[in-house]
Amino acid sequence: MTQLPQFSRALLHPRYWFTWLGIGSLYLLVLLPYPLLYHLGCGLGRLSMRFLKRRVEVARRNLELCFPGMPQAEREAMVVRNFESVGMGLIETGMAWFWPNWRITKWFHVSGLEHIDKAHQDGKGVLLIGMHFLTLELGARIFGIHNPGIGVYRPNDNALLDWLQTWGRMRSNKSMLDRKDLKGMIRALKNGDIIWYAPDHDYGPKSSVFVPFFGVEKAASTKGSYLLIRSGQPAVIPFVPRRLPYGKGYEMVILPEEQAIPLDDEAATAARMNKVVEHGVLMAPEQYMWLHRRFKSRPAGEPSLY
């Protein structure tokens, strides 16, 4: 079972002082009014393109691979909007960790809560399918305000950030599980809990099958979806937290339960889950985490896509 990080005096060691300075600065920053934060975040994201040139190239390449028919000018505009979202993602992390509930709900419109209610009425746990949007932290917070669940995460190498991330996410959720703790996730689903789960990153060839994702025919996609759905028998419900333009706030769209997910084998399940993710990504493509090397793992003998 996952052992969650706890605060200790060791986190006050001088090695963490610069991290504490950054945390304190972020806390003070998000006290500002949201419309101002919106403009600051977008500006920070555009500025970051000058220093994150490798990440800009990764985002550009991912868009080229996923949307080969997109005109180059449109793709370049998407890259800029995506990095505006990167800047906002930092701001939104502070909002998610430090804002009180009333301030978050003020800026969110939520639809589709009835799909979660129906799953509970049917006696099912919920595998809540998230995607790696740059609004991820804020989306998890607003969902937890309405329906506290259990988050799945990768422990941070920085012990202070690991503790802070867990503390922030548990402000409106029950607990957290390491993404490798499949037994813990299955147990929670069988107990009727909600598990926040993102199946859309590349976790390496040993943990993956190669199935289509957008324009890439052989994308490494996790085997975990097959195990969780087959063993936990949950309602599979996607959700999309997306930022509205011009500083107007956010909306969280909870989609209807996915029906008849194929469980013939791991590849069939992963391919269907990728279609679910694609549908969600297309609802706010400029806010997806394109700067991540989604296609770094390749089948044996095939060249790198980067």
Side-chain angles (χ1 to χ4, degrees), residues 231-304:
S231 300
Q233 297 293 306
V236 178
I237 299 179
F239 86 117
V240 175
R242 57 185 177 184
R243 184 184 316 107
L244 301 175
Y246 312 116
K248 294 182 179 179
Y250 302 83
E251 65 177 352
M252 183 176 69
V253 183
I254 302 171
L255 299 168
E257 178 183 353
E258 290 291 320
Q259 301 294 331
I261 301 236
L263 295 173
D264 303 323
D265 55 44
E266 295 163 337
T269 304
R272 175 62 179 275
M273 295 304 293
N274 278 357
K275 290 297 182 184
V276 172
V277 171
E278 288 176 12
H279 176 70
V281 169
L282 290 175
M283 294 175 67
E286 76 285 354
Q287 297 174 34
Y288 190 63
M289 200 178 290
W290 295 114
L291 74 167
H292 173 76
R293 289 198 305 156
R294 173 63 182 85
F295 308 109
K296 63 184 177 182
S297 293
R298 304 297 299 143
E302 296 204 8
S304 171

Coordinates of all heavy atoms in Angstrom, one line a residue, residues 231-304:
S231 N -10.5 -6.1 -13.4 CA -10.5 -6.6 -12.0 C -11.5 -5.8 -11.1 O -12.2 -6.3 -10.2 CB -9.1 -6.5 -11.4 OG -8.2 -7.4 -12.1
G232 N -11.5 -4.4 -11.4 CA -12.4 -3.6 -10.5 C -13.8 -3.4 -10.9 O -14.6 -3.0 -10.1
Q233 N -14.1 -3.7 -12.2 CA -15.4 -3.6 -12.7 C -16.1 -2.2 -12.4 O -17.2 -2.1 -12.0 CB -16.4 -4.7 -12.2 CG -15.9 -6.1 -12.6 CD -16.1 -6.3 -14.1 OE1 -17.1 -6.1 -14.7 NE2 -15.0 -6.8 -14.7
P234 N -15.3 -1.1 -12.7 CA -15.9 0.2 -12.4 C -16.7 0.8 -13.5 O -16.7 0.3 -14.6 CB -14.6 1.0 -12.2 CG -13.7 0.4 -13.2 CD -14.0 -1.1 -13.3
A235 N -17.4 1.9 -13.2 CA -17.9 2.8 -14.3 C -16.7 3.6 -14.8 O -16.0 4.2 -14.0 CB -19.0 3.7 -13.7
V236 N -16.5 3.6 -16.1 CA -15.4 4.3 -16.7 C -15.9 5.7 -17.2 O -16.7 5.7 -18.1 CB -14.7 3.5 -17.8 CG1 -13.6 4.3 -18.4 CG2 -14.2 2.2 -17.3
I237 N -15.5 6.7 -16.5 CA -16.1 8.1 -16.8 C -15.0 9.1 -17.0 O -14.2 9.4 -16.1 CB -17.0 8.5 -15.6 CG1 -18.1 7.5 -15.4 CG2 -17.5 9.9 -15.8 CD1 -19.0 7.9 -14.2
P238 N -14.9 9.6 -18.2 CA -13.9 10.6 -18.5 C -14.4 12.0 -18.0 O -15.6 12.3 -17.9 CB -13.8 10.6 -20.1 CG -14.7 9.5 -20.5 CD -15.7 9.2 -19.4
F239 N -13.4 12.9 -17.8 CA -13.7 14.3 -17.5 C -12.7 15.2 -18.0 O -11.5 14.8 -18.2 CB -14.0 14.5 -16.0 CG -12.7 14.8 -15.2 CD1 -12.6 16.0 -14.5 CD2 -11.7 13.8 -15.1 CE1 -11.4 16.3 -13.8 CE2 -10.6 14.1 -14.3 CZ -10.4 15.3 -13.7
V240 N -13.1 16.4 -18.4 CA -12.2 17.4 -19.0 C -12.3 18.7 -18.2 O -13.4 19.3 -18.3 CB -12.5 17.6 -20.5 CG1 -11.7 18.7 -21.1 CG2 -12.3 16.3 -21.2
P241 N -11.3 19.2 -17.6 CA -11.3 20.5 -17.0 C -10.6 21.5 -17.9 O -9.4 21.3 -18.2 CB -10.4 20.4 -15.7 CG -9.5 19.2 -16.0 CD -10.1 18.4 -17.1
R242 N -11.3 22.4 -18.5 CA -10.7 23.3 -19.5 C -10.9 24.8 -19.1 O -11.9 25.2 -18.5 CB -11.3 23.0 -20.9 CG -12.8 23.2 -21.0 CD -13.2 22.7 -22.4 NE -14.7 22.8 -22.6 CZ -15.3 22.4 -23.7 NH1 -14.6 21.9 -24.7 NH2 -16.6 22.5 -23.7
R243 N -9.9 25.5 -19.5 CA -9.8 26.9 -19.2 C -10.6 27.7 -20.3 O -10.4 27.4 -21.5 CB -8.3 27.4 -19.2 CG -8.1 28.8 -18.8 CD -6.6 29.2 -18.9 NE -5.7 28.1 -18.4 CZ -5.0 27.3 -19.1 NH1 -5.0 27.4 -20.4 NH2 -4.3 26.3 -18.5
L244 N -11.4 28.6 -19.9 CA -12.1 29.4 -20.8 C -11.3 30.6 -21.3 O -10.4 31.0 -20.6 CB -13.4 30.0 -20.2 CG -14.4 28.9 -19.7 CD1 -15.6 29.5 -19.0 CD2 -14.9 28.0 -20.9
P245 N -11.5 31.1 -22.5 CA -10.6 32.2 -23.0 C -10.9 33.5 -22.4 O -11.9 33.7 -21.7 CB -11.0 32.2 -24.5 CG -12.4 31.7 -24.6 CD -12.5 30.6 -23.5
Y246 N -9.9 34.4 -22.5 CA -10.0 35.8 -22.0 C -10.3 35.9 -20.5 O -10.9 36.9 -20.1 CB -11.1 36.5 -22.8 CG -11.0 36.3 -24.3 CD1 -12.1 35.6 -25.0 CD2 -9.9 36.7 -25.0 CE1 -12.0 35.4 -26.4 CE2 -9.8 36.5 -26.4 CZ -10.9 35.8 -27.0 OH -10.8 35.6 -28.4
G247 N -9.7 35.0 -19.7 CA -9.8 35.1 -18.3 C -11.2 35.0 -17.7 O -11.5 35.5 -16.7
K248 N -12.1 34.2 -18.4 CA -13.5 34.0 -18.0 C -13.7 32.9 -17.0 O -14.8 32.7 -16.5 CB -14.4 33.8 -19.2 CG -14.5 35.1 -20.1 CD -15.4 34.8 -21.3 CE -15.5 36.0 -22.2 NZ -16.4 35.8 -23.3
G249 N -12.6 32.2 -16.7 CA -12.7 31.1 -15.7 C -12.5 29.7 -16.4 O -11.8 29.6 -17.3
Y250 N -13.3 28.8 -15.9 CA -13.1 27.4 -16.2 C -14.4 26.6 -16.3 O -15.4 27.1 -15.7 CB -12.2 26.6 -15.2 CG -10.9 27.3 -15.0 CD1 -10.7 28.4 -14.1 CD2 -9.8 26.8 -15.6 CE1 -9.5 29.0 -14.0 CE2 -8.5 27.4 -15.5 CZ -8.4 28.5 -14.6 OH -7.2 29.1 -14.5
E251 N -14.4 25.5 -17.0 CA -15.5 24.6 -16.9 C -15.0 23.2 -16.8 O -14.0 22.8 -17.4 CB -16.5 24.7 -18.1 CG -15.9 24.3 -19.4 CD -16.9 24.4 -20.6 OE1 -18.1 24.6 -20.3 OE2 -16.5 24.2 -21.7
M252 N -15.7 22.4 -16.0 CA -15.3 21.0 -15.9 C -16.5 20.2 -16.5 O -17.6 20.3 -16.0 CB -15.1 20.5 -14.4 CG -14.7 19.1 -14.3 SD -14.3 18.6 -12.6 CE -16.0 18.6 -11.9
V253 N -16.2 19.4 -17.5 CA -17.2 18.6 -18.2 C -17.0 17.2 -17.8 O -15.9 16.6 -18.2 CB -17.1 18.8 -19.7 CG1 -18.2 18.0 -20.4 CG2 -17.2 20.3 -20.1
I254 N -17.9 16.6 -17.1 CA -17.9 15.1 -16.8 C -18.7 14.4 -17.9 O -19.9 14.7 -18.1 CB -18.5 14.9 -15.4 CG1 -17.7 15.6 -14.4 CG2 -18.4 13.4 -15.1 CD1 -18.3 15.6 -13.0
L255 N -18.1 13.6 -18.6 CA -18.8 12.9 -19.8 C -19.5 11.6 -19.3 O -19.2 11.1 -18.2 CB -17.7 12.6 -20.8 CG -17.0 13.8 -21.4 CD1 -15.8 13.4 -22.2 CD2 -17.9 14.6 -22.2
P256 N -20.4 11.1 -20.1 CA -21.2 9.9 -19.8 C -20.2 8.7 -19.7 O -19.1 8.7 -20.2 CB -22.1 9.8 -20.9 CG -22.3 11.1 -21.5 CD -20.9 11.8 -21.4
E257 N -20.7 7.7 -18.9 CA -19.9 6.5 -18.7 C -19.6 5.8 -20.1 O -20.5 5.7 -20.9 CB -20.7 5.5 -17.8 CG -20.0 4.2 -17.6 CD -20.8 3.2 -16.8 OE1 -21.9 3.6 -16.2 OE2 -20.4 2.1 -16.7
E258 N -18.4 5.4 -20.3 CA -18.0 4.7 -21.4 C -18.6 3.2 -21.3 O -18.5 2.6 -20.3 CB -16.5 4.6 -21.6 CG -15.8 5.9 -21.9 CD -16.2 6.3 -23.4 OE1 -16.2 5.4 -24.3 OE2 -16.4 7.5 -23.6
Q259 N -19.3 2.8 -22.4 CA -19.9 1.5 -22.4 C -19.1 0.5 -23.2 O -18.4 0.8 -24.1 CB -21.3 1.7 -23.0 CG -22.2 2.7 -22.3 CD -22.6 2.2 -20.9 OE1 -22.7 1.0 -20.6 NE2 -22.9 3.2 -20.0
A260 N -19.2 -0.7 -22.7 CA -18.7 -1.9 -23.4 C -17.2 -1.7 -23.8 O -16.8 -1.9 -25.0 CB -19.5 -2.2 -24.7
I261 N -16.4 -1.4 -22.9 CA -14.9 -1.3 -23.1 C -14.4 -2.7 -23.4 O -14.7 -3.6 -22.6 CB -14.2 -0.7 -21.9 CG1 -14.8 0.6 -21.6 CG2 -12.7 -0.7 -22.1 CD1 -13.9 1.8 -21.6
P262 N -13.7 -3.0 -24.5 CA -13.3 -4.3 -24.8 C -12.2 -4.8 -23.8 O -11.3 -4.1 -23.5 CB -12.7 -4.2 -26.2 CG -12.4 -2.7 -26.4 CD -13.4 -2.0 -25.6
L263 N -12.4 -6.0 -23.4 CA -11.5 -6.6 -22.4 C -10.9 -7.9 -23.0 O -10.6 -8.8 -22.2 CB -12.2 -6.8 -21.1 CG -12.6 -5.5 -20.3 CD1 -13.5 -5.9 -19.1 CD2 -11.4 -4.7 -20.0
D264 N -10.9 -8.1 -24.3 CA -10.4 -9.3 -24.9 C -8.9 -9.4 -24.6 O -8.4 -10.5 -24.4 CB -10.6 -9.3 -26.4 CG -12.1 -9.1 -26.8 OD1 -12.9 -9.7 -26.1 OD2 -12.3 -8.4 -27.7
D265 N -8.2 -8.3 -24.6 CA -6.7 -8.3 -24.3 C -6.3 -6.9 -24.0 O -7.1 -6.0 -24.1 CB -5.9 -9.0 -25.4 CG -6.1 -8.3 -26.8 OD1 -6.2 -7.0 -26.8 OD2 -6.3 -9.0 -27.8
E266 N -5.0 -6.8 -23.6 CA -4.5 -5.5 -23.2 C -4.5 -4.4 -24.3 O -4.8 -3.3 -24.1 CB -3.1 -5.6 -22.6 CG -3.1 -6.4 -21.4 CD -1.7 -6.9 -21.0 OE1 -0.8 -7.0 -21.9 OE2 -1.4 -7.2 -19.8
A267 N -4.2 -4.9 -25.5 CA -4.1 -4.0 -26.7 C -5.5 -3.5 -27.0 O -5.7 -2.3 -27.3 CB -3.5 -4.7 -27.9
A268 N -6.5 -4.3 -27.0 CA -7.9 -3.8 -27.3 C -8.4 -2.8 -26.3 O -8.9 -1.8 -26.7 CB -8.8 -5.0 -27.4
T269 N -8.1 -3.0 -25.1 CA -8.5 -2.1 -24.0 C -7.7 -0.7 -24.2 O -8.3 0.3 -24.2 CB -8.2 -2.6 -22.6 OG1 -8.9 -3.9 -22.5 CG2 -8.7 -1.6 -21.6
A270 N -6.4 -0.8 -24.4 CA -5.6 0.4 -24.6 C -6.0 1.2 -25.8 O -6.1 2.4 -25.8 CB -4.1 0.0 -24.7
A271 N -6.3 0.5 -26.9 CA -6.8 1.2 -28.1 C -8.1 2.0 -27.9 O -8.2 3.1 -28.3 CB -6.9 0.2 -29.3
R272 N -9.0 1.4 -27.2 CA -10.3 2.0 -26.9 C -10.0 3.2 -25.9 O -10.6 4.3 -26.1 CB -11.3 1.0 -26.3 CG -12.6 1.7 -25.8 CD -13.4 2.3 -27.0 NE -14.6 2.8 -26.5 CZ -15.7 2.1 -26.3 NH1 -15.8 0.8 -26.6 NH2 -16.8 2.7 -25.8
M273 N -9.2 3.0 -24.9 CA -8.9 4.1 -24.0 C -8.2 5.3 -24.7 O -8.5 6.4 -24.4 CB -8.1 3.6 -22.8 CG -8.8 2.6 -21.9 SD -10.3 3.2 -21.3 CE -9.7 4.5 -20.2
N274 N -7.4 5.0 -25.7 CA -6.8 6.1 -26.4 C -7.8 6.9 -27.2 O -7.7 8.1 -27.3 CB -5.7 5.5 -27.4 CG -4.4 5.2 -26.7 OD1 -4.2 5.5 -25.6 ND2 -3.5 4.7 -27.5
K275 N -8.9 6.2 -27.7 CA -9.9 6.9 -28.4 C -10.7 7.9 -27.4 O -11.1 9.0 -27.7 CB -10.9 6.0 -29.0 CG -10.4 5.2 -30.2 CD -10.0 6.2 -31.3 CE -9.5 5.5 -32.6 NZ -9.1 6.4 -33.6
V276 N -10.8 7.4 -26.1 CA -11.5 8.2 -25.1 C -10.6 9.4 -24.8 O -11.1 10.5 -24.7 CB -11.6 7.4 -23.8 CG1 -12.1 8.2 -22.6 CG2 -12.6 6.2 -24.0
V277 N -9.3 9.2 -24.7 CA -8.4 10.3 -24.5 C -8.4 11.3 -25.6 O -8.4 12.5 -25.5 CB -7.0 9.8 -24.2 CG1 -6.0 11.0 -24.2 CG2 -6.9 9.0 -22.9
E278 N -8.4 10.8 -26.9 CA -8.4 11.7 -28.0 C -9.6 12.6 -28.0 O -9.5 13.8 -28.3 CB -8.4 10.8 -29.3 CG -7.1 10.1 -29.6 CD -7.2 9.3 -30.8 OE1 -8.2 9.3 -31.6 OE2 -6.3 8.5 -31.1
H279 N -10.8 12.0 -27.7 CA -12.0 12.8 -27.7 C -11.9 13.9 -26.6 O -12.3 15.1 -26.9 CB -13.2 11.9 -27.3 CG -14.5 12.6 -27.1 ND1 -15.2 13.2 -28.2 CD2 -15.2 12.9 -26.0 CE1 -16.3 13.8 -27.7 NE2 -16.3 13.6 -26.4
G280 N -11.3 13.6 -25.5 CA -11.1 14.6 -24.4 C -10.2 15.7 -24.8 O -10.4 16.9 -24.7
V281 N -9.0 15.3 -25.4 CA -8.0 16.2 -25.8 C -8.6 17.2 -26.9 O -8.3 18.4 -26.8 CB -6.8 15.5 -26.4 CG1 -5.8 16.5 -27.1 CG2 -6.1 14.7 -25.3
L282 N -9.4 16.7 -27.8 CA -9.9 17.6 -28.8 C -10.9 18.7 -28.3 O -11.3 19.6 -29.0 CB -10.6 16.8 -29.9 CG -9.7 15.9 -30.8 CD1 -10.5 15.0 -31.7 CD2 -8.7 16.8 -31.5
M283 N -11.3 18.5 -27.0 CA -12.2 19.5 -26.4 C -11.4 20.7 -26.0 O -12.0 21.8 -25.7 CB -12.9 18.9 -25.2 CG -13.9 17.8 -25.6 SD -14.7 17.0 -24.2 CE -15.6 18.3 -23.5
A284 N -10.1 20.6 -25.8 CA -9.2 21.7 -25.5 C -7.8 21.4 -25.9 O -6.9 21.3 -25.0 CB -9.3 22.0 -24.0
P285 N -7.5 21.2 -27.2 CA -6.2 20.7 -27.6 C -5.0 21.6 -27.2 O -3.9 21.1 -27.0 CB -6.3 20.6 -29.1 CG -7.4 21.5 -29.5 CD -8.4 21.5 -28.3
E286 N -5.2 22.9 -27.2 CA -4.1 23.8 -26.8 C -3.7 23.7 -25.4 O -2.7 24.2 -25.0 CB -4.5 25.3 -27.2 CG -5.5 25.9 -26.2 CD -6.9 25.5 -26.3 OE1 -7.2 24.7 -27.3 OE2 -7.8 25.9 -25.5
Q287 N -4.6 23.0 -24.5 CA -4.3 22.9 -23.1 C -3.7 21.6 -22.7 O -3.5 21.3 -21.5 CB -5.6 23.2 -22.3 CG -6.1 24.6 -22.5 CD -7.4 24.9 -21.9 OE1 -7.7 24.4 -20.8 NE2 -8.2 25.7 -22.5
Y288 N -3.4 20.7 -23.7 CA -2.9 19.4 -23.4 C -1.3 19.5 -23.2 O -0.7 20.5 -23.7 CB -3.2 18.5 -24.6 CG -2.9 17.0 -24.3 CD1 -3.5 16.3 -23.3 CD2 -2.0 16.3 -25.0 CE1 -3.3 15.0 -23.0 CE2 -1.7 15.0 -24.8 CZ -2.3 14.3 -23.8 OH -2.1 13.0 -23.5
M289 N -0.8 18.5 -22.6 CA 0.7 18.6 -22.2 C 1.5 18.1 -23.4 O 2.2 17.0 -23.4 CB 0.9 17.7 -21.0 CG 2.2 18.1 -20.3 SD 2.4 17.1 -18.8 CE 1.2 17.8 -17.7
W290 N 1.5 18.9 -24.5 CA 2.3 18.5 -25.7 C 3.8 18.6 -25.5 O 4.6 18.0 -26.3 CB 1.9 19.4 -26.9 CG 0.5 19.2 -27.3 CD1 -0.5 20.2 -27.2 CD2 -0.1 18.0 -27.9 NE1 -1.7 19.6 -27.7 CE2 -1.5 18.3 -28.1 CE3 0.3 16.8 -28.2 CZ2 -2.4 17.4 -28.6 CZ3 -0.6 15.8 -28.7 CH2 -1.9 16.2 -28.9
L291 N 4.3 19.3 -24.5 CA 5.7 19.4 -24.3 C 6.3 18.1 -23.7 O 7.6 18.0 -23.6 CB 6.1 20.6 -23.4 CG 5.8 20.5 -21.9 CD1 6.5 21.6 -21.2 CD2 4.3 20.5 -21.6
H292 N 5.5 17.1 -23.4 CA 6.0 15.8 -22.9 C 6.3 14.9 -24.0 O 5.6 14.9 -25.0 CB 4.9 15.2 -22.0 CG 5.3 13.8 -21.5 ND1 6.2 13.6 -20.5 CD2 4.8 12.6 -21.9 CE1 6.2 12.2 -20.3 NE2 5.4 11.7 -21.2
R293 N 7.4 14.1 -24.0 CA 7.7 13.2 -25.1 C 6.8 12.0 -25.0 O 7.2 10.9 -24.6 CB 9.2 12.8 -25.0 CG 10.2 14.0 -25.3 CD 11.5 13.4 -25.7 NE 12.1 12.6 -24.6 CZ 13.0 11.7 -24.8 NH1 13.5 11.4 -26.0 NH2 13.5 11.0 -23.8
R294 N 5.6 12.2 -25.5 CA 4.6 11.2 -25.4 C 5.0 9.9 -26.2 O 4.6 8.8 -25.8 CB 3.3 11.7 -26.0 CG 2.1 10.7 -26.2 CD 1.7 10.2 -24.8 NE 0.6 9.2 -25.0 CZ 0.8 7.9 -25.2 NH1 2.1 7.4 -25.4 NH2 -0.2 7.0 -25.3
F295 N 5.8 10.0 -27.2 CA 6.1 8.9 -28.1 C 7.6 8.5 -28.0 O 8.2 8.0 -29.0 CB 5.7 9.2 -29.5 CG 4.3 9.7 -29.7 CD1 4.1 11.1 -29.9 CD2 3.3 8.9 -29.5 CE1 2.8 11.6 -30.1 CE2 2.0 9.4 -29.6 CZ 1.7 10.7 -29.9
K296 N 8.2 8.6 -26.8 CA 9.6 8.3 -26.7 C 9.9 6.8 -26.8 O 10.9 6.4 -27.3 CB 10.1 8.8 -25.3 CG 9.5 8.2 -24.1 CD 10.0 8.8 -22.8 CE 9.3 8.2 -21.6 NZ 9.7 8.9 -20.3
S297 N 9.0 5.9 -26.3 CA 9.2 4.5 -26.4 C 8.7 4.0 -27.8 O 7.6 4.4 -28.3 CB 8.4 3.7 -25.4 OG 8.9 4.0 -24.1
R298 N 9.5 3.2 -28.4 CA 9.2 2.6 -29.8 C 9.3 1.1 -29.7 O 10.0 0.5 -28.9 CB 10.2 3.2 -30.8 CG 10.2 4.7 -30.9 CD 8.9 5.3 -31.3 NE 8.5 4.8 -32.6 CZ 7.2 4.6 -33.0 NH1 6.3 4.7 -32.1 NH2 6.9 4.2 -34.2
P299 N 8.6 0.5 -30.6 CA 8.7 -1.0 -30.7 C 10.2 -1.3 -31.1 O 10.9 -0.5 -31.7 CB 7.8 -1.4 -31.9 CG 6.8 -0.3 -31.9 CD 7.5 1.0 -31.5
A300 N 10.6 -2.5 -30.7 CA 12.0 -2.9 -31.0 C 12.4 -2.8 -32.4 O 11.6 -3.2 -33.3 CB 12.2 -4.4 -30.5
G301 N 13.5 -2.1 -32.7 CA 14.0 -1.9 -34.0 C 13.5 -0.7 -34.8 O 14.0 -0.4 -35.9
E302 N 12.6 0.0 -34.2 CA 12.1 1.2 -34.9 C 12.8 2.5 -34.4 O 13.1 2.6 -33.2 CB 10.5 1.3 -34.7 CG 9.8 0.2 -35.3 CD 8.3 0.6 -35.7 OE1 8.0 1.7 -35.5 OE2 7.6 -0.4 -36.0
P303 N 13.0 3.4 -35.3 CA 13.8 4.6 -34.9 C 13.0 5.6 -34.0 O 11.8 5.5 -34.0 CB 14.1 5.3 -36.2 CG 13.0 4.8 -37.1 CD 12.7 3.4 -36.7
S304 N 13.7 6.4 -33.3 CA 13.1 7.4 -32.4 C 12.3 8.4 -33.3 O 12.7 8.7 -34.4 CB 14.1 8.2 -31.6 OG 13.5 9.3 -31.0

